[in-house]
Amino acid sequence: MNIELILFGAFALLTLLSAGMVIFARSPINSAMALVSTFFFLAGIYVLLWAHTVAVMQVLVYAGAIMVLFLFVIMLLNLGESPTRGRPTLARLVGGAATVGLLAVLVITLLKVPGDAPVMAQEAQATFGTMALLGQTIFTQWLLPFEAVSLLLLVAMVGAVVVAKSRI
Amino acid sequence: MAAEVAARESPNRPMVPITYYLLLAAALFCMGMFGVLVRRNALVVFMCVELMLNAANLTFLAFARMRGDAVGHVSAFFVIAVAAAEAAIGLAIVIAVFRSRGSVLVEDIRTMKH
């Protein structure tokens, strides 16, 4: 047993537990809080994958910004517990069964992927996952997609105001 | 800098097989999909969509670690940005629907079903 495996196991277990709480909690507030903890534990997993920058962005953007948006909407709509658990319709039963089938297919496929990573060069290891390397890649190779994303965020911002405002 | 390099070069190969990360991502994706298909509250459905996006991100990062390639990190960055846009628009739609119908249950929104 090494420390990395123990950390991975702990984070993975906690991630799956909180994800289960997101799905099965009765009130949307509990789902939202469970989702926040899911994001935090996933950020831990990202650090284990040497993706420090993405882990920081995960905490800032997901656990910070997006979840505040969710909580704000729940507060605005004043939602309580869902009244009753709905009857299992045919569509839901088929959906649940399809999910189990998808999981089986994914597990069978992923077990065939070789889990070994090639050894990285030392210089590559020193910079892998840092903000500098990410910035360099984004602002040279991926500049156009980056600008397109900024446009997308602007459109989403204007669109959210237009859709949610009762009278313009 | 030298200490940093020394600290990071000790795990030359990942101690945890990349397959474990991929299996975790698959489980997370399926939990999100289950929530999307089974839950009735539109807000919870949105949260489950976020779970699925996170599972995709985890897959990107796992393969980035496997190949030693920063492009996976760039993809994860873009997924996070798109998820932010999606959450803003989706929640605005939920608010608009709640205003006109007084409900956020997906089974009450069926005008275009027939």
Side-chain angles (χ1 to χ4, degrees):
Chain A
M1 286 298 269
N2 55 48
I3 186 77
E4 198 178 334
L5 194 61
I6 295 171
L7 278 176
F8 172 79
F11 280 133
L13 195 68
L14 288 167
T15 305
L16 290 177
L17 272 180
S18 352
M21 275 176 64
V22 173
I23 301 176
F24 292 113
R26 294 298 290 269
S27 92
I29 281 281
N30 289 350
S31 286
M33 296 324 286
L35 194 58
V36 172
S37 66
T38 311
F39 290 155
F40 270 107
F41 295 131
L42 263 179
I45 297 243
Y46 292 173
V47 171
L48 286 181
L49 281 168
W50 295 6
H52 318 96
T53 313
V54 180
V56 170
M57 278 194 289
Q58 166 96 358
V59 171
L60 282 181
V61 179
Y62 260 121
I66 295 184
M67 288 322 296
V68 167
L69 201 61
F70 268 102
L71 288 174
F72 193 70
V73 169
I74 293 171
M75 206 174 68
L76 200 68
L77 300 186
N78 200 10
L79 296 175
E81 305 223 334
S82 44
T84 51
R85 209 168 276 276
R87 275 182 321 182
T89 58
L90 179 67
R92 285 189 180 170
L93 289 176
V94 172
T99 311
V100 176
L102 177 69
L103 183 62
V105 171
L106 280 177
V107 167
I108 290 170
T109 314
L110 289 177
L111 284 178
K112 291 182 184 156
V113 174
D116 246 14
V119 179
M120 267 192 245
Q122 280 196 8
E123 313 87 69
Q125 276 183 44
T127 58
F128 188 72
T130 55
M131 186 93 67
L133 183 65
L134 191 66
Q136 205 179 19
T137 317
I138 285 180
F139 289 117
T140 55
Q141 204 180 345
W142 293 81
L143 186 60
L144 189 65
F146 179 76
E147 295 295 338
V149 161
S150 70
L151 192 65
L152 174 78
L153 285 173
L154 179 68
V155 170
M157 216 155 63
V158 176
V161 172
V162 170
V163 171
K165 205 163 158 50
S166 53
R167 195 178 299 262
I168 298 181
Chain B
M1 189 65 195
E4 193 186 347
V5 172
R8 293 182 63 165
E9 76 183 13
S10 50
N12 216 356
R13 289 166 177 281
M15 306 292 254
V16 182
I18 296 294
T19 315
Y20 290 6
Y21 292 98
L22 296 176
L23 289 175
L24 174 65
L28 205 59
F29 186 89
C30 287
M31 289 175 92
M33 183 176 152
F34 183 82
V36 167
L37 291 174
V38 170
R39 286 301 300 252
R40 308 153 74 206
N41 191 324
L43 279 170
V44 181
V45 168
F46 265 116
M47 292 181 205
C48 292
V49 171
E50 302 291 336
L51 274 185
M52 291 165 77
L53 286 168
N54 266 283
N57 258 349
L58 180 54
T59 314
F60 272 128
L61 294 176
F63 278 123
R65 172 74 182 86
M66 187 174 173
R67 296 171 48 87
D69 191 344
V71 174
H73 292 194
V74 176
S75 305
F77 171 78
F78 284 137
V79 169
I80 290 179
V82 171
E86 173 258 337
I89 289 289
L91 291 172
I93 292 175
V94 169
I95 290 178
V97 166
F98 185 77
R99 243 190 219 133
S100 65
R101 288 163 200 267
S103 164
V104 290
L105 300 185
V106 284
E107 60 213 20
D108 293 340
I109 309 164
R110 49 178 12 170
T111 313
M112 297 183 66
K113 204 170 173 183
H114 305 295

